[in-house]
Amino acid sequence: MRLAVEEINNSSHMLPNVTLGYHIWDTCSESIYLQAALQLAPDRLHSFQKGSSNKMVAVVGPDEADMTLLTSRVLTFYRLPQISYSAKDQRFTDTNLFPLLFRMVPNENHQIYGILSLIEAFDWKWVSAVGSGTKSSQKAIQTLVAEASARNICITYQGVMTWDNEVTKIQLQRIVSNTVKAKTNITIVFAEEDITYKFFKTVVELKVTGKVWIALESWVLSDMVASISGIQETGTVIGLTIKPIKLPQFTRFVERTMRCNTLSNRTSLVLSASEKLFETESCGQSCEECHLLSQESLAYILQSSIWHWSFYTYAAIYAVAEALHLHLGCETGSCKRDEYFEPWQLYELLYHVNFPLQNNTIRFSSQGDLFLGYDVLTWIWTNGTVIAKTIGSFSSETLDIASGHIKWSTPDGQVPQSICITECDEGQIRSQQTLDECSCRCEDCLEGTYPNQTYLDACIPCPSGTWSPKKSQECFPPTLTFLDVKDTIISALLILTIVDFFLLCSCGLVFATHWQTPVVKAAGGKLAFVMLGSLMACCATTSLFVGRPTSLSCLIRQPIFAISFTLCVSCLLARSFQIIFIFKMAHKLPMIHKYWIKYRGTYFFVAISCGVQGLVCFLWLFFSPPSLQGDTVSKKEIFLRCSEGHYLGLGSVLGYITLLCATCFVFAFWGRNLPKNYSEARLQTVSMLVFLMAWGCFMLIYTTTEGKGKQIAGLQMFTVQTSVYAILCTFFLPKCYIILFKPQANTVAHFQTCIQAYTTTTRNSAK
C-alpha cells in the first residue's frame, strides 16, 4: 500500500498536483475493526465538508471475509467505496447487498471451475468433497456438486466438519472413515487453515495413504498444515492459488522504509486526497534514523506467504487512483483539486477502470471482482521440507499443466484412477437419483422392476403378470397357490372329513349287522344304506377342494355333492312321508297306500327327486359351467380356484335342496305326535335348521365376495361337513346308540307296545 501511494505521489502523469494520504487501523479483533469502521463517520473526520483540504475517497481492506462483511454494511451506510484485497466469498457477488464493495481477487466460483478443470484433466470421475460448516463452504460445495454433475463428475461423498474450534476428534474420524469407505482416490478439502490442520492430523492418525488431496488457496500455502508429521505419507497434494505477481521494486522499498516497530500484518487502509501525506503511525524520527532489519529477518518476511497478496493490495491503490484520476479530469495534465465531490461518485468510475499494471490488465467484472488467473501448485518434499511448486496455470477456464512434475503416491508412480463403478452387482443399476447428481453409485432395482439387459443404466417394469423382488436380475411368474394340506385349517377340515367318513362307515357296519331289527327297518331299511352311501359321497367331494384344481374337478365336485345330498334328503323325506301316511292317512286313503306299496312309491319319489336335481345340474353345466380361475392375491401369488359360474346355478341347486329340507321340516313337525320309535321331530328339525343356516350364510358370503379367495373354498368344505354331520348326529348315531346300548328297545314287542299306546291315545282323543 505504501509503495503504491509513494509511486503515485511521485508520478508526473498520475494525479498531478494531488497527493494521496492514508490512515491505518489494526484489525486484530472484532471490536477494533468495528470501531475503525465507525470512526469513518463524516461527523467524526469532517472529511465531506465542502472546502475541506482532506477528502476521504475509499477504504481498502480488511483481509478476512467476516470483517469485510461487517465493515461493508457500515461503509455502505456512509456511502464509502470499499476495495478488498482478499475477500473471495460468493456472498459478495450480490451487488444488491454490497453495492459499494469491489474485490481485487476472483470469487470462489472461479476456483471451483479451476478445480473441476484440474479433475477433468486427469480424467477423474469419482471424487469426494469435505468442507467446514461455514455458509461459504457449504455454498461452495453446492456449486461444486452442480457444476460437477454438468461435467459428468460424481461427488460421491460430501463431508461437513464443524466450522469452529469445537470440531471433535470423533467427528473428524467419522468423516475421514467415510471418505475411505466411498472408495474414491480424490478428495477436495474446502476448509480454512486451522480446520484443515485438524483434518489432516486425523488422516495421519488413521493411516490413510496414497490419496490425492485437492487444496484450496486457503491452505495450499499453509506451513502449519505442511508441517504435520507424516503428512507426506497421505498422498499427493495439488491446489490452486491466485496468481502471484512479483513487484521488482518491492524489495528495495521494504529495505528502505522498514521501521523499528513494524505494523501489524492485518490492516485496513483509508485513502484521502490532500496536499500532503498523512500517517497514523510514525517512528517518531526520520526514516534515515530508523534501524533496518537484519538480512535474515528481511528474507523471512519477503518469503512469507503473506506477501502472496502484495500485488493485489498494490493494485487496489492504483484502481482507486485511476478512478480518482478520471473523476478529477487529470487527463489534461492538471487535476481539478478544488472541485467538490462525494466518495460514492467514484463507484461508477471503478467499474470502468481499465489500465495495465505489471503486465496485467486491471478491470473489474460485473460482479465487482478481478480475475487474473490461478497458479496450479503441488507439494514436493525435499529432505522432509515441503516446497509448493508451480506446475501450471488456470485462466478464463483454460488449464495449462505440466503433470510430469507431479509425484504420484501410487505403487507404479502413475496417475491414480478414480472412475465410476464399471460394473454393478446383479439386480443393480447406476444411480438415477437427481438429489446427489451422481451416476457412479449403484442402486438396487425396486420390487417389480429389473435391469434392462440392453441398457444397464435403467430398471424397467416387469411384464404384465410377472413380479420381481428387490435387487432382482429377472422377473418371475407369480406362484400358483391352492388349498394345501400343509395349511392348518385345511388339515383340520380334512381330519374332520376323515372322522365323518369313519363314523358313517361304522354306522353302516352296525346297520348291516342288525339290518333285520326293528330299529333299522324303522330307519328306512334299505333306504338307510342309500342315505349312508350318499353321505359318504358328500364327504368324498370335500377332497376335491384340496390340492391343485383341474377343469374336470371343477365340473364334477358341485354336481356330485348336489345329487348325493339330494339323494340323502329325498330318502329322509320319503321315509318321513311314508311313516306319516301310514299312521295318519292310510285308513282314509287305502287305495293310495296300496299303490304306494305296490309300485314302490318311496323309490319312485327318490328317483324323481334326484332326476330333478340332475336336470338342474345339467342346465347349470350347460349355460354357465364351473371353470378353473386364478385370483390375484398379490403380484407374487395367484390363487387357483373353481369359479362356479353364474351364482344362479349354484343357487338353484342349493335352492332345490333347501326346498326338500323345508318339506322334511314340515313333515317332522306334522309327525311330532307319532310313536317315539318313529317320531324324530326334534332331531330332524335340528338337522334341517343346521343345513338351512349353514348354506344360507355360505350363499350370503359367496355372493358378496363373488366366490373369490381361499376363505370361500375352505368355508364350502366346512359347510358340506356341517350338513353331513347334522344328519349323521340327528338320525344315524341315535339309532346306533339304541342298537348297541339299548337292545331292549330294539325288539318287535317294544315297537308293538309303542304303537298300541299311540293307537289308544288317538282313540281317546277322538272320543
Side-chain angles (χ1 to χ4, degrees):
M1 181 275 298
R2 294 181 60 188
L3 170 64
V5 170
E6 184 173 307
E7 287 183 350
I8 293 169
N9 288 336
N10 293 330
S11 174
S12 59
H13 64 276
M14 176 67 70
L15 294 178
N17 72 314
V18 173
T19 303
L20 293 181
Y22 57 85
H23 296 277
I24 301 175
W25 278 273
D26 198 343
T27 56
C28 57
S29 67
E30 180 176 336
S31 59
I32 292 178
Y33 72 74
L34 181 59
Q35 180 183 7
L38 294 174
Q39 286 180 353
L40 299 177
D43 58 277
R44 292 290 186 91
L45 297 178
H46 308 286
S47 60
F48 299 127
Q49 295 179 3
K50 188 173 182 179
S52 173
S53 61
N54 301 323
K55 294 182 176 65
M56 193 177 305
V57 295
V59 175
V60 177
D63 62 337
E64 292 187 358
D66 291 340
M67 297 181 188
T68 303
L69 178 66
L70 184 56
T71 55
S72 180
R73 304 286 190 186
V74 177
L75 298 178
T76 299
F77 178 77
Y78 293 136
R79 306 176 78 180
L80 272 171
Q82 180 182 7
I83 302 180
S84 173
Y85 51 84
S86 62
K88 307 176 294 297
D89 200 308
Q90 295 183 50
R91 292 175 292 178
F92 300 132
T93 60
D94 190 341
T95 55
N96 292 322
L97 295 177
F98 306 97
L100 300 179
L101 177 63
F102 294 84
R103 285 154 293 125
M104 301 307 300
V105 291
N107 65 68
E108 290 177 336
N109 285 344
H110 293 285
Q111 186 171 208
I112 291 172
Y113 300 148
I115 289 173
L116 292 176
S117 297
L118 181 65
I119 291 173
E120 284 183 315
F122 294 106
D123 198 28
W124 294 328
K125 298 294 184 181
W126 201 15
V127 301
S128 297
V130 176
S132 60
T134 61
K135 292 182 179 179
S136 174
S137 174
Q138 293 176 1
K139 180 65 176 177
I141 291 181
Q142 291 175 3
T143 304
L144 175 73
V145 171
E147 290 295 328
S149 175
R151 304 189 189 199
N152 295 321
I153 298 172
C154 170
I155 309 298
T156 187
Y157 171 70
Q158 303 171 34
V160 178
M161 298 177 288
T162 306
W163 67 271
D164 55 18
N165 292 328
E166 297 301 320
V167 58
T168 63
K169 188 173 183 179
I170 295 177
Q171 182 189 34
L172 289 171
Q173 289 176 343
R174 174 176 53 82
I175 293 174
V176 173
S177 298
N178 287 339
T179 60
V180 175
K181 291 178 182 178
K183 297 181 180 180
T184 57
N185 291 324
I186 317 301
T187 302
I188 308 170
V189 182
F190 282 91
E192 294 70 29
E193 182 182 30
D194 52 346
I195 301 299
T196 303
Y197 174 80
K198 295 180 179 180
F199 173 78
F200 274 102
K201 285 279 287 186
T202 307
V203 171
V204 172
E205 290 174 0
L206 295 181
K207 298 181 180 179
V208 178
T209 61
K211 302 295 183 180
V212 176
W213 309 96
I214 305 298
L216 275 68
E217 60 184 349
S218 59
W219 64 271
V220 69
L221 296 175
S222 171
D223 293 333
M224 180 171 64
V225 176
S227 63
I228 297 175
S229 177
I231 192 173
Q232 63 269 27
E233 303 298 331
T234 62
T236 304
V237 176
I238 306 175
L240 297 177
T241 183
I242 60 171
K243 184 178 180 182
I245 301 173
K246 295 182 179 181
L247 299 172
Q249 68 275 34
F250 187 53
T251 302
R252 297 190 302 272
F253 179 79
V254 171
E255 292 175 344
R256 182 171 58 86
T257 61
M258 188 61 67
R259 303 183 184 277
C260 305
N261 299 315
T262 58
L263 299 177
S264 171
N265 290 345
R266 306 166 64 187
T267 59
S268 292
L269 313 175
V270 179
L271 293 180
S272 61
S274 63
E275 296 182 351
K276 58 182 179 179
L277 183 67
F278 288 92
E279 299 180 5
T280 57
E281 301 210 16
S282 173
C283 284
Q285 50 190 331
S286 64
C287 293
E288 291 76 7
E289 296 174 333
C290 286
H291 298 287
L292 295 177
L293 296 174
S294 66
Q295 290 297 324
E296 293 78 8
S297 299
L298 180 61
Y300 175 79
I301 293 174
L302 293 177
Q303 291 175 5
S304 174
S305 61
I306 190 172
W307 303 113
H308 200 72
W309 307 91
S310 60
F311 171 80
Y312 297 95
T313 307
Y314 178 82
I317 306 301
Y318 266 92
V320 175
E322 181 70 17
L324 188 60
H325 184 86
L326 295 175
H327 182 76
L328 297 179
C330 301
E331 295 87 350
T332 60
S334 178
C335 300
K336 302 175 183 178
R337 293 174 47 194
D338 296 331
E339 180 178 348
Y340 172 74
F341 68 92
E342 295 284 357
W344 60 264
Q345 292 178 281
L346 295 181
Y347 166 70
E348 291 292 340
L349 294 173
L350 282 169
Y351 267 114
H352 292 91
V353 296
N354 188 348
F355 61 95
L357 188 66
Q358 298 293 327
N359 298 321
N360 290 277
T361 300
I362 308 301
R363 181 175 63 248
F364 292 108
S365 70
S366 60
Q367 295 179 332
D369 63 341
L370 174 67
F371 180 48
L372 299 180
Y374 290 99
D375 273 0
V376 181
L377 308 178
T378 186
W379 285 6
I380 304 295
W381 275 273
T382 303
N383 299 325
T385 303
V386 67
I387 299 175
K389 183 176 181 179
T390 301
I391 57 172
S393 62
F394 172 77
S395 60
S396 301
E397 300 187 5
T398 300
L399 180 69
D400 181 19
I401 185 171
S403 58
H405 295 286
I406 303 175
K407 184 178 180 181
W408 304 107
S409 299
T410 54
D412 56 1
Q414 299 299 313
V415 179
Q417 298 294 312
S418 189
I419 59 177
C420 294
I421 299 174
T422 55
E423 293 184 2
C424 293
D425 294 338
E426 288 189 357
Q428 290 186 325
I429 60 168
R430 294 184 188 276
S431 174
Q432 300 296 307
Q433 297 291 330
T434 57
L435 180 63
D436 53 42
E437 300 292 347
C438 179
S439 61
C440 289
R441 298 187 185 95
C442 286
E443 60 182 16
D444 299 339
C445 284
L446 302 178
E447 291 185 6
T449 63
Y450 71 104
N452 188 343
Q453 298 303 318
T454 58
Y455 179 64
L456 295 176
D457 287 349
C459 293
I460 60 176
C462 288
S464 178
T466 61
W467 70 282
S468 67
K470 184 178 180 181
K471 198 180 177 182
S472 175
Q473 187 71 11
E474 58 183 327
C475 294
F476 305 95
T479 303
L480 298 178
T481 60
F482 37 82
L483 294 185
D484 195 353
V485 294
K486 295 179 180 180
D487 187 278
T488 304
I489 296 178
I490 303 304
S491 298
L493 289 174
L494 286 177
I495 292 173
L496 195 66
T497 301
I498 293 172
V499 172
D500 191 7
F501 198 85
F502 173 76
L503 291 175
L504 288 171
C505 291
S506 300
C507 290
L509 181 62
V510 171
F511 273 45
T513 55
H514 300 84
W515 69 280
Q516 292 291 349
T517 61
V519 171
V520 176
K521 292 180 178 180
K526 295 180 180 179
L527 285 180
F529 292 99
V530 174
M531 292 173 62
L532 285 170
S534 63
L535 291 178
M536 290 180 185
C538 291
C539 286
T541 60
T542 58
S543 63
L544 297 176
F545 287 87
V546 183
R548 181 166 183 164
T550 63
S551 298
L552 179 61
S553 64
C554 290
L555 282 174
I556 65 175
R557 68 181 189 180
Q558 295 292 3
I560 290 176
F561 166 74
I563 294 175
S564 299
F565 202 76
T566 299
L567 177 60
C568 178
V569 176
S570 297
C571 291
L572 191 62
L573 178 59
R575 173 188 171 277
S576 299
F577 172 76
Q578 183 171 309
I579 292 175
I580 291 173
F581 186 81
I582 290 173
F583 280 98
K584 294 193 175 186
M585 299 176 63
H587 64 284
K588 296 179 181 180
L589 301 170
M591 292 301 296
I592 295 177
H593 179 259
K594 180 181 178 180
Y595 284 111
W596 178 269
I597 298 297
K598 181 179 180 179
Y599 294 105
R600 297 178 180 269
T602 301
Y603 296 101
F604 181 77
F605 171 77
V606 171
I608 293 297
S609 177
C610 290
V612 172
Q613 183 67 288
L615 178 62
V616 174
C617 290
F618 173 79
L619 294 175
W620 176 21
L621 297 180
F622 182 81
F623 289 103
S624 181
S627 60
L628 187 63
Q629 181 175 321
D631 291 341
T632 302
V633 179
S634 66
K635 293 181 179 180
K636 302 179 182 180
E637 177 185 358
I638 291 181
F639 176 69
L640 288 179
R641 69 176 182 90
C642 291
S643 173
E644 310 301 348
H646 198 282
Y647 67 90
L648 287 178
L650 181 61
S652 299
V653 169
L654 295 177
Y656 182 73
I657 298 176
T658 301
L659 178 62
L660 296 177
C661 290
T663 306
C664 283
F665 180 79
V666 172
F667 283 162
F669 180 77
W670 192 0
R672 66 186 183 279
N673 295 324
L674 293 177
K676 62 180 181 178
N677 303 73
Y678 297 94
S679 177
E680 299 162 347
R682 292 181 180 178
L683 295 177
Q684 198 167 331
T685 298
V686 171
S687 66
M688 295 302 104
L689 285 177
V690 169
F691 172 85
L692 294 174
M693 292 176 62
W695 284 101
C697 293
F698 171 78
M699 285 303 297
L700 178 63
I701 297 174
Y702 181 86
T703 54
T704 55
T705 61
E706 299 180 352
K708 296 180 179 180
K710 297 180 181 180
Q711 297 80 3
I712 295 299
L715 179 61
Q716 190 168 1
M717 288 182 62
F718 178 75
T719 306
V720 169
Q721 286 303 313
T722 301
S723 303
V724 174
Y725 269 103
I727 296 177
L728 175 64
C729 294
T730 60
F731 188 82
F732 288 103
L733 291 182
K735 290 175 174 51
C736 289
Y737 177 76
I738 293 173
I739 293 172
L740 296 175
F741 299 104
K742 290 187 176 182
Q744 68 276 10
N746 190 20
T747 62
V748 175
H750 178 75
F751 271 77
Q752 289 178 347
T753 301
C754 292
I755 294 172
Q756 290 174 358
Y758 171 75
T759 303
T760 303
T761 303
T762 304
R763 289 176 180 176
N764 293 334
S765 299
K767 293 179 179 180

